[in-house]
């Protein structure tokens, strides 16, 4: 008996290879997919401004990176002796306004580098609901300030599409080599309400569809649809009933590999994943001859691949350990 529909996902037109340089920005799923690519040695920068849920904020940050804008001091706030900014996540903080500004500019420069030299930009949209501060404007994060300070509203499809179309136009003119992959986060924003979350996600899906039609360098990967259809059981959510489990994330990752990697890249990813498992191996007796031989064989594999992938840290950690004492 067939218990669910395994819907086919056509290969994306602009595939990722081991030579790709990738910027992944957006909601928690941007961290998940970006982290998995980092783990198998893709050159990937993940959420340089922290987790960002809203398309309008992502558009703002990309534009700031393109034009290397400095931090807007009007958005700085102090809490518990640290300085934050309403335009970014609380992961980006400083011990002073100057320190915060320097860290922000450093991330702007890193992001600009990945836009200039990169091959792919992955954007994961989390919600259409946005918070605004009357004296500042839209915010990426409320930084645990009283909710009464903010106004919450549902951004319109027209507003989000217009803003991102403007940003994507800037990207295509400045970085014509860059391909964009859009996804809608499978994480449920239940604090907004169940119906409200579904309305929000629906707008994001239409937004992705419209942008994909408007720009030939934009494509879409259905992470949200996989979670909602193939993995529609609550057992695929963590105990908070909001975030996908590791098993669900791995299932989506397998779909990602099939749709976005070419055959050679898939083979290399499989090989590197096996090596990562070997690196994580914990022996019963670290001093045994068998384990020392295992380390020597593993070191030989790493040295063989190091010219194509950066295994310098792993090689350094293993060197000396495989030699008899």
């Amino acid at each position: 008996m067939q218990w669910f529909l395994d819907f086919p996902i056509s290969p994306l037109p602009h595939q990722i290879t081991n030579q790709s340089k990738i910027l992944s920005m957006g909601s928690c799923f941007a961290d998940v997919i970006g982290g998995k690519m980092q783990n198998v040695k893709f050159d990937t920068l993940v959420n340089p401004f922290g987790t960002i849920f809203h398309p309008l904020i992502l558009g703002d940050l990309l534009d700031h990176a393109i034009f290397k804008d400095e931090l807007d001091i009007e958005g700085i706030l102090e809490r518990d002796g640290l300085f934050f900014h309403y335009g970014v996540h609380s992961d980006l903080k400083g011990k002073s306004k100057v320190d915060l500004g320097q860290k922000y500019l450093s991330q702007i420069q890193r992001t600009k580098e990945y836009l200039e030299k990169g091959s792919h930009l992955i954007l994961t949209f989390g919600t259409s609901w946005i918070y605004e501060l009357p004296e500042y404007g839209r915010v990426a994060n409320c930084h645990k300030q009283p909710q009464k300070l903010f106004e919450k509203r549902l951004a319109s499809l027209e507003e989000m599409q217009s803003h991102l179309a403007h940003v994507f136009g800037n990207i295509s003119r400045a970085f014509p080599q860059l391909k964009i992959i859009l996804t809608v986060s499978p994480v449920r924003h239940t604090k907004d309400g169940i119906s409200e979350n579904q309305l929000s996600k629906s707008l994001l899906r239409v937004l992705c569809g419209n942008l994909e039609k408007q720009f030939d360098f934009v494509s879409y990967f259905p992470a949200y649809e996989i979670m909602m259809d193939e993995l529609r059981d609550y057992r695929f959510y963590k105990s908070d009933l909001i975030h996908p489990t590791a098993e669900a994330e791995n299932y989506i990752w397998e779909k990602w590999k099939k749709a976005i990697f070419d055959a050679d890249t898939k083979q290399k990813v499989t090989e590197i994943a096996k090596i990562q498992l070997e690196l994580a191996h914990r022996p019963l007796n670290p001093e045994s001859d068998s384990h020392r031989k295992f380390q020597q064989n593993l070191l030989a594999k790493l040295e063989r691949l190091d010219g194509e992938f950066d295994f310098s840290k792993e090689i350094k950690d293993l060197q000396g350990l495989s030699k008899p004492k």
Side-chain angles (χ1 to χ4, degrees):
M1 182 176 290
Q2 185 175 1
W3 292 102
F4 65 89
L5 291 176
D6 180 7
F7 65 90
I9 302 173
S10 300
L12 268 64
H14 310 296
Q15 297 210 315
I16 291 174
T17 71
N18 294 114
Q19 288 70 47
S20 298
K21 191 178 183 74
I22 305 152
L23 172 61
S24 179
M25 294 176 61
S27 78
C28 308
F29 187 71
D31 288 313
V32 170
I33 208 71
K36 286 185 178 296
M37 288 195 294
Q38 285 179 331
N39 191 51
V40 287
K41 299 299 178 179
F42 286 96
D43 182 359
T44 309
L45 176 62
V46 181
N47 271 341
F49 304 99
T51 307
I52 304 294
F53 299 102
H54 204 281
L56 292 175
I57 303 296
L58 284 168
D60 291 340
L61 289 168
L62 287 168
D63 241 12
H64 293 327
I66 292 170
F67 297 104
K68 297 186 73 172
D69 295 333
E70 294 186 0
L71 189 66
D72 180 3
I73 60 173
E74 296 299 319
I76 295 177
L77 72 151
E78 183 181 1
R79 177 169 61 83
D80 297 330
L82 293 171
F83 290 83
F84 303 86
H85 195 275
Y86 282 120
V88 297
H89 191 269
S90 56
D91 286 347
L92 192 62
K93 53 185 176 291
K95 295 180 179 179
S96 66
K97 291 182 179 180
V98 173
D99 182 40
L100 177 62
Q102 290 174 342
K103 288 179 177 177
Y104 175 81
L105 186 57
S106 174
Q107 295 301 77
I108 284 286
Q109 290 169 340
R110 290 181 73 202
T111 304
K112 178 74 176 290
E113 177 192 346
Y114 273 78
L115 292 173
E116 285 179 333
K117 301 178 182 179
S119 60
H120 292 78
L121 167 63
I122 301 167
L123 296 177
T124 302
F125 303 148
T127 183
S128 301
W129 292 97
I130 194 162
Y131 288 85
E132 294 175 331
L133 197 62
E135 62 270 26
Y136 175 73
R138 54 184 174 242
V139 304
N141 196 287
C142 296
H143 300 299
K144 297 184 179 179
Q145 298 303 295
Q147 190 169 355
K148 64 182 180 181
L149 297 177
F150 304 91
E151 296 176 359
K152 179 183 177 182
R153 68 178 179 88
L154 188 69
S156 71
L157 174 63
E158 294 75 18
E159 178 185 16
M160 293 187 289
Q161 185 173 338
S162 174
H163 183 51
L164 285 177
H166 169 76
V167 175
F168 287 5
N170 287 338
I171 287 175
S172 68
R173 287 185 290 273
F175 319 113
Q177 86 292 345
L178 200 66
K179 310 304 179 186
I180 299 176
I181 300 174
L182 302 179
T183 66
V184 174
S185 171
V187 177
R188 307 164 73 220
H189 289 244
T190 55
K191 289 183 180 179
D192 294 324
I194 298 298
S195 295
E196 290 80 0
N197 173 70
Q198 194 60 38
L199 174 60
S200 165
K201 297 290 189 183
S202 299
L203 286 171
L204 296 179
R205 182 60 189 93
V206 177
L207 171 65
C208 290
N210 288 353
L211 290 170
E212 188 179 22
K213 289 179 182 178
Q214 188 172 355
F215 299 98
D216 60 8
F217 55 87
V218 174
S219 54
Y220 176 76
F221 177 78
Y224 177 75
E225 289 86 338
I226 295 170
M227 192 71 201
M228 291 297 104
D229 197 291
E230 291 189 53
L231 307 178
R232 59 192 304 167
D233 194 295
Y234 271 106
R235 62 184 163 154
F236 294 114
Y237 287 95
K238 294 178 181 177
S239 58
D240 62 6
L241 304 182
I242 294 173
H243 293 85
T245 61
E247 291 79 10
E249 291 172 350
N250 288 335
Y251 186 88
I252 297 172
W253 167 244
E254 291 300 318
K255 294 279 189 174
W256 176 274
K257 289 192 296 184
K258 289 180 182 178
I260 296 178
F261 299 159
D262 62 23
D264 182 61
T265 302
K266 291 174 192 171
Q267 181 180 349
K268 289 290 176 60
V269 165
T270 299
E271 184 177 5
I272 293 171
K274 289 179 180 178
I275 288 176
Q276 296 290 14
L277 287 175
E278 291 181 29
L279 285 166
H281 173 67
R282 294 294 177 264
L284 180 64
N285 180 8
E287 303 299 324
S288 68
D289 290 339
S290 61
H291 181 62
R292 193 169 289 117
K293 185 176 181 180
F294 169 82
Q295 288 180 314
Q296 290 171 343
N297 290 336
L298 179 55
L299 183 59
K301 291 179 186 178
L302 294 178
E303 289 173 339
R304 176 175 58 82
L305 290 169
D306 192 46
E308 188 175 0
F309 306 98
D310 183 11
F311 279 104
S312 55
K313 181 181 181 301
E314 291 86 349
I315 290 173
K316 184 178 180 181
D317 291 340
L318 274 176
Q319 281 175 337
L321 294 177
S322 60
K323 297 177 182 178
K325 295 182 181 179

